[in-house]
Amino acid sequence: MQSSAPTRPRTRSPWTIVAQAAAALAAGQGIGRFVYTPILPLMHAQAGLSKALGANLATANFVGYLAGALAGIAVPAVVRSAAVLRGCFIVLVATLALMPVTLDGSLWFLLRLAAGAASALIFVIAVSAMLSGLREHAHHLVGWAFGGVGAGIALSGLLVVAVQTASTWQAAWWTCAALAALLTAMAWPLAPEQEHPGAKAAGQTERPRIHRWFLALLASYTFEGIGYIIAGTFMVAAIQQGVPGRLGSGAWIVVGLAALPSCALWTRLAGRWSRPALLLTSLTIQAAGIALPALLGGATPALVSALLFGATFMGVSTIALSIGAYLQVPRAVALLTAGYSVGQILGPLLAAPLLSHGYHQALLLGSALVLVSAVAAAAVCVRFPHHLGPVTPAA
């Protein structure tokens, strides 16, 4: 009679996990969330999109993103579901492809709402799967996976720039939908790790109370959501206002290219310095970068601003989510993503009264709010419990 010993699951190469997670984040975040920024001017010029409706479509995406993050908190099984992840990929690609088939603002609103929810769930599930799969490997691999967001921003930005010179806003959406479909095919095998019985109880004895640090981290990440989205929404317009030509679109590509290697660099540095200190540093650099085009005119400050913003905004996410996972707070990724989402909804609302005087005051507000985030990050640094051990997944 053969032994009935359980079979071991087949292990995956860590670089395979990195590639699949990077493709998922490139599709869900780099394209699903951020492609609207470079396409927006085309829709204003060619589709008759008003500024008010354009802002409402951005808000719809933020609200959908919050709803997706809250779903990950309310239904923990969602975060461990490969079927939900794949369903969200399908929804995301469909919403991108359907944007050009109508001129109905209400339908556009619903499509961007659905895209936001799908993007959030893709982010939460893919990050949880990636942290689980890479927890026994070099931590800089996590950074390369997060770099997928920058790759998605840069690739979709280049596509939009190429398309707008020879074609229409509809073609821009369709080509980006095709790119998202290609990335979806690459990310399709990514599967979250299933929770094992007793896993929660393991290693939880004699642990210090970590809620103080997590609450400070949540506050920091929420204020980062407010400040970063102000810059992400208005930076291109502010640069175009100050420097004529296509520098704004070019600056957005610089943001993506800078974001691509930045996460790996920040996680490399985490091997030498504490993650809370790196979070404080990255937020301080980001605040300076956001303020730069508001304080100094010209092409050079604009490109330096794009470089600093791209080099830090995903690095902040990488570090913050890594700290949350290290603290082993249940559903840390979903909780932090929800706080970030609330910030993204508040940011444009706070900046709107300042826009009648141009975009510079809005950027200064965004910079100030990122500095508030840095203050909260400084609170995370105080007596941080570095002795808890290696990072473990906290979906």
Side-chain angles (χ1 to χ4, degrees):
M1 185 174 179
Q2 292 184 345
S3 171
S4 59
T7 59
R8 284 186 174 183
R10 187 172 61 179
T11 58
R12 291 177 293 168
S13 162
W15 281 108
T16 298
I17 298 172
V18 168
Q20 292 170 353
L25 296 179
Q29 301 289 306
I31 300 175
R33 298 247 14 249
F34 293 115
V35 77
Y36 181 66
T37 297
I39 293 180
L40 183 59
L42 279 177
M43 295 183 71
H44 283 315
Q46 299 177 6
L49 179 69
S50 67
K51 289 185 177 180
L53 180 55
N56 287 339
L57 295 184
T59 301
N61 192 256
F62 302 150
V63 172
Y65 198 83
L66 175 59
L70 292 176
I73 297 171
V75 189
V78 163
V79 182
R80 297 186 293 273
S81 173
V84 171
L85 176 63
R86 292 166 184 171
C88 288
F89 280 135
I90 294 171
V91 169
L92 183 74
V93 173
T95 59
L96 294 171
L98 290 173
M99 283 293 290
V101 303
T102 181
L103 292 175
D104 189 324
S106 298
L107 291 178
W108 280 342
F109 188 94
L110 292 175
L111 288 171
R112 294 309 293 161
L113 186 74
S119 294
L121 286 169
I122 289 171
F123 183 81
V124 171
I125 299 171
V127 168
S128 297
M130 177 256 295
L131 290 176
S132 298
L134 297 178
R135 67 177 178 271
E136 295 178 0
H137 300 280
H139 193 57
H140 74 275
L141 295 178
V142 172
W144 286 113
F146 273 110
V149 177
I153 290 173
L155 287 172
S156 59
L158 285 168
L159 273 180
V160 172
V161 169
V163 167
Q164 73 181 7
T165 60
S167 193
T168 63
W169 68 276
Q170 292 100 325
W173 280 108
W174 281 325
T175 53
C176 290
L179 177 59
L182 177 62
L183 292 167
T184 290
M186 295 172 59
W188 196 262
L190 184 66
E193 184 177 88
Q194 299 302 306
E195 187 176 38
H196 300 291
K200 290 183 179 180
Q204 295 298 310
T205 59
E206 299 183 4
R207 285 175 46 79
R209 295 179 64 86
I210 45 74
H211 294 91
R212 174 172 71 85
W213 293 285
F214 185 78
L215 288 175
L217 176 67
L218 180 59
S220 176
Y221 203 48
T222 300
F223 276 103
E224 158 68 0
I226 303 174
Y228 127 85
I229 202 59
I230 291 175
T233 302
F234 302 116
M235 179 180 287
V236 171
I239 291 173
Q240 287 180 333
Q241 185 182 55
V243 184
R246 295 185 176 177
L247 184 61
S249 299
W252 189 247
I253 296 171
V254 171
V255 169
L257 292 175
L260 178 55
S262 68
C263 301
L265 173 62
W266 287 109
T267 49
R268 277 280 190 191
L269 293 175
R272 299 185 178 182
W273 291 284
S274 75
R275 284 182 291 256
L278 288 175
L279 180 62
L280 174 60
T281 301
S282 60
L283 287 167
T284 304
I285 294 172
Q286 185 183 112
I290 293 172
L292 196 57
L295 299 175
L296 298 174
T300 299
L303 291 176
V304 171
S305 172
L307 180 65
L308 293 179
F309 183 69
T312 54
F313 89 96
M314 278 310 302
V316 167
S317 291
T318 304
I319 299 166
L321 295 176
S322 177
I323 295 172
Y326 172 84
L327 292 174
Q328 300 180 28
V329 173
R331 298 185 289 284
V333 171
L335 286 167
L336 290 169
T337 302
Y340 198 67
S341 303
V342 171
Q344 289 180 131
I345 295 172
L346 293 176
L349 297 176
L350 294 175
L354 304 175
L355 298 180
S356 58
H357 304 289
Y359 296 102
H360 288 172
Q361 290 186 14
L363 290 185
L364 291 175
L365 174 63
S367 176
L369 289 166
V370 173
L371 284 177
V372 174
S373 173
V375 171
V380 180
C381 295
V382 177
R383 300 180 65 183
F384 186 78
H386 295 287
H387 58 283
L388 290 182
V391 172
T392 58

